Amino acid sequence: MMTPQRYRPRRMRLGEPLRSLVRETRLSANQLVMPLFVRSGKRVRAPIPSMPGQFQLSVDEVVNECRELHGHGVSAVLLFGLADRKDERGSGAYAKDGIVPQAVRAIKAQVPGLLVMTDVCLCAYTSHGHCGIVKYAQGSRLKALGKRGSKKQPSAESEFWIDNDATLELIAKTAVSHAEAGADLVAPSDMMDGNVGAVRQALDASGFDRVPILAYAVKFASSLYAPFRQAVESAPQFSDRRSYQMDSANTDEALREAALDIEQGADILMVKPALAYLDIIHRLKQAFHYPVAAFSVSGEYAMVKAASARGWLSERPVWVELLLAMKRAGADLLITYWAKDAAKLLREQ
Ligand SMILES: [Zn+2]
């Protein structure tokens, strides 16, 4: 007969009270952030086909949604705006009466206890769908195409580039317009070099030195964003975003990106997407000891929704497991389309 082990891990797995006693990682509603899509109109609650259970909401509906989220214990929302009109320079992004400032004002007035974060970028407002100012190569076929805002033209990367420094000015203006409306945190997602510094400087100069920056420090050029682009109608009309978003293969570069954002004044570091990049979340947490936010993106949500609709997975235990994995990797905040469901579940327990 074998000598029994002195330490038997199974002893502490017998029954939920014991398991719960030694559980290392927990979800908590006050670290959940719900992304919301806001558009013009009244009483609009337009379902997003690729993201079942998510909607494009008019300002009045976004307020109702926020009230409900806050009631369930969710602490924060992250707002994405949809443009009524688009142009080359994304002017709707930094319009003082733009859709995001309108929503921020309404939410802050009617659900004052809820933290309102805003995504700061141009891509939902530009005719070409890129996150910055597009410059076209001399004599480029795209010069004409881009101006007309024409759809999905094949192109080579050599035919255009995104003007980094010209974009910074507009990103900073966008952030200030959100802060003026009362945003509690701003989150620049354009992935231009120097964006966090530009936003910090502009906020400080406008008297918003107390508004923190949630930096999309490490944003990969991911195929998992596809359902989101349907949600905010922001797919690039030509080429892709690989000249500014990060290559999925890189981890050292992720650390350099995060270090730059910290140097420029980032208060929270975000990793996006989450699930395929848990190693990055882990490395960032280990290296910098900063609050880390994991953005569990639309594709992660859509995959689970689609599989569970076919009966191939059971939705709830899967997202619980996925959200725990992000926490375990080192994330503090979880930005997730399951924020409301998770907060409800936590209330029941
Ligand atoms: Zn963008």
Side-chain angles (χ1 to χ4, degrees):
M1 194 179 124
M2 290 225 326
T3 320
Q5 300 179 136
R6 294 191 59 184
Y7 172 58
R8 287 174 175 256
R10 288 189 55 196
R11 269 198 289 263
M12 290 304 290
R13 291 179 199 149
L14 196 63
E16 180 54 23
L18 268 185
R19 289 193 294 269
S20 172
L21 193 69
V22 294
R23 189 159 291 141
E24 297 171 42
T25 313
R26 285 171 206 277
L27 300 176
S28 85
N30 49 26
Q31 290 190 306
L32 295 171
V33 181
M34 182 74 180
L36 293 174
F37 304 107
V38 59
R39 54 172 285 175
S40 62
K42 273 215 158 36
R43 288 193 287 278
V44 179
R45 207 175 163 81
I48 300 165
S50 54
M51 301 172 69
Q54 305 299 317
F55 302 85
Q56 295 178 351
L57 303 166
S58 52
V59 172
D60 52 333
E61 286 292 334
V62 102
V63 168
N64 291 337
E65 189 65 31
C66 285
R67 204 175 278 121
E68 196 187 331
L69 285 162
H70 193 48
H72 289 305
V74 173
S75 297
V77 293
L78 175 60
L79 298 184
F80 292 87
L82 275 98
D84 277 335
R85 59 187 164 82
K86 303 190 183 210
D87 56 38
E88 275 280 293
R89 295 174 61 82
S91 58
Y94 39 91
K96 287 194 186 295
D97 59 347
I99 188 69
V100 169
Q102 284 176 41
V104 172
R105 284 192 188 95
I107 299 166
K108 291 312 291 180
Q110 295 179 65
V111 197
L114 185 71
L115 283 172
V116 179
M117 308 175 171
T118 59
D119 178 84
V120 175
C121 200
L122 306 183
C123 50
Y125 307 89
T126 49
S127 46
H128 41 71
H130 280 286
C131 301
I133 297 298
V134 177
K135 292 282 165 70
Y136 302 94
Q138 268 315 320
S140 160
R141 195 167 46 84
L142 280 170
K143 189 160 186 160
L145 293 176
K147 290 246 157 82
R148 287 206 309 271
S150 78
K151 301 244 184 297
K152 291 214 161 76
Q153 297 296 330
S155 73
E157 271 187 88
S158 59
E159 287 186 305
F160 78 99
W161 71 97
I162 306 295
D163 188 334
N164 193 90
D165 295 6
T167 302
L168 292 183
E169 203 183 308
L170 303 183
I171 292 293
K173 251 171 102 167
T174 305
V176 170
S177 74
H178 295 179
E180 278 169 351
D184 295 296
L185 288 98
V186 291
S189 62
D190 50 291
M191 284 300 278
M192 297 300 120
D193 293 335
N195 62 346
V196 171
V199 166
R200 186 70 274 158
Q201 207 174 12
L203 287 174
D204 292 355
S206 313
F208 298 110
D209 52 304
R210 284 184 301 178
V211 174
I213 297 176
L214 163 59
Y216 281 71
V218 189
K219 185 179 180 185
F220 290 96
S222 170
S223 302
L224 292 161
Y225 302 148
F228 174 93
R229 288 177 188 165
Q230 193 179 93
V232 298
E233 298 153 12
S234 70
Q237 299 297 302
F238 49 82
S239 193
D240 54 41
R241 296 183 177 143
R242 283 181 294 173
S243 78
Y244 41 106
Q245 296 179 348
M246 263 190 60
D247 186 327
S248 337
N250 296 353
T251 62
D252 285 340
E253 190 190 2
L255 264 75
R256 294 197 297 273
E257 276 281 1
L260 277 172
D261 281 7
I262 289 171
E263 228 174 81
Q264 293 169 37
D267 298 285
I268 303 173
L269 304 172
M270 187 204 291
V271 177
K272 183 182 180 179
L275 199 51
Y277 301 91
L278 296 178
D279 57 323
I280 308 291
I281 294 174
H282 189 70
R283 279 193 81 183
L284 247 63
K285 192 64 185 175
Q286 298 289 314
F288 301 112
H289 310 286
Y290 259 65
V292 172
F295 196 144
S296 179
V297 302
S298 57
E300 300 171 35
Y301 178 81
M303 287 193 288
V304 176
K305 281 281 178 187
S308 66
R310 293 183 163 212
W312 292 351
L313 294 172
S314 174
E315 188 187 347
R316 191 160 87 173
V318 171
W319 59 251
V320 169
E321 191 173 331
L322 299 184
L323 296 183
L324 275 175
M326 294 161 208
K327 276 260 153 180
R328 209 179 56 235
D332 302 287
L333 287 75
L334 302 180
I335 305 170
T336 167
Y337 299 101
W338 284 296
K340 184 155 78 175
D341 294 342
K344 280 191 199 166
L345 179 67
L346 290 163
R347 277 273 160 107
E348 287 165 18
Q349 284 172 346

